[in-house]
């Protein structure tokens, strides 16, 4: 969905993915580039009606992006503009993920130290942009 939002001109939208302390839930926070506006996407996704009995979203990324824009106008307006470096990096992150693999910047345990990489649920490392940890 974020990749699609970037295509639609919301390049100042950034993603901060994380894992719950138990490791059983993936969480996703969206922020704008200035860090003034924050949106908890993983909570919003749970409110969507087009989710099947297994908890999988039935909407395509394009449909989900359209719904996100429609339902979250105030937040998304603060994400308008370009950030070519981040958009290119994020696109590469999405392409690098395998089926059933999710990235995370950190887990939500008691101790968190920002790093220069994200981990994935399959144990892979994804190098981040040099200043990415400043957004956490």
């Amino acid at each position: 969905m974020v990749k699609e939002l970037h295509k639609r001109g919301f390049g100042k939208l950034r993603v901060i993915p994380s894992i719950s302390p138990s490791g059983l839930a993936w969480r996703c926070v969206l922020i704008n580039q200035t860090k003034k506006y924050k949106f908890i996407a993983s909570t919003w996704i749970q409110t969507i009606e087009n989710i099947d009995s297994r908890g999988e979203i039935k909407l395509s990324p394009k449909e989900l992006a359209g719904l996100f824009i429609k339902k979250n106008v105030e937040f998304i307006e603060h994400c308008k503009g370009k950030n070519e470096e981040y958009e290119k990096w994020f696109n590469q992150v999405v392409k690098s993920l395998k089926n059933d693999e999710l990235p995370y910047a950190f887990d939500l345990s008691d101790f968190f130290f920002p790093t220069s990489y994200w981990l994935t649920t399959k144990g892979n490392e994804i190098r981040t942009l040099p200043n990415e940890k400043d957004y956490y």
Side-chain angles (χ1 to χ4, degrees):
M1 175 187 84
V2 170
K3 186 175 159 184
E4 182 63 29
L5 289 168
H6 285 161
K7 286 181 192 176
R8 295 184 189 195
F10 300 101
K12 293 183 179 180
L13 177 67
R14 298 180 89 94
V15 176
I16 304 173
S18 61
I19 298 278
S20 67
S22 68
L24 298 175
W26 183 77
R27 297 182 178 154
C28 184
V29 172
L30 303 177
I31 61 169
N32 76 327
Q33 197 163 309
T34 64
K35 301 184 276 186
K36 288 184 181 180
Y37 301 94
K38 179 171 121 174
F39 187 89
I40 303 172
S42 48
T43 301
W44 175 75
I45 285 173
Q46 294 173 5
T47 68
I48 296 172
E49 295 174 10
N50 290 311
I51 296 179
D52 67 20
S53 60
R54 296 176 301 184
E56 293 183 17
I57 300 167
K58 294 188 245 178
L59 299 173
S60 71
K62 286 183 180 184
E63 292 169 324
L64 197 56
L67 183 62
F68 187 85
I69 292 167
K70 182 179 174 184
K71 298 284 186 180
N72 302 290
V73 175
E74 186 176 335
F75 170 76
I76 201 69
E77 285 296 313
H78 297 285
C79 301
K80 279 185 177 176
K82 283 282 192 200
N83 182 345
E84 291 180 19
E85 180 183 35
Y86 184 84
E87 292 174 58
K88 182 179 177 183
W89 171 80
F90 187 79
N91 190 38
Q92 290 171 340
V93 168
V94 172
K95 284 182 181 178
S96 73
L97 297 170
K98 296 173 179 52
N99 285 341
D100 298 325
E101 183 176 33
L102 295 169
Y104 61 96
F106 54 89
D107 66 41
L108 295 171
S109 62
D110 292 340
F111 304 102
F112 165 64
F113 302 97
T115 63
S116 60
Y117 59 88
W118 286 358
L119 292 173
T120 74
T121 53
K122 297 206 182 244
N124 296 313
E125 282 187 12
I126 298 171
R127 284 271 175 240
T128 60
L129 294 174
N131 64 345
E132 194 60 28
K133 60 187 175 187
D134 297 342
Y135 290 91
Y136 309 151

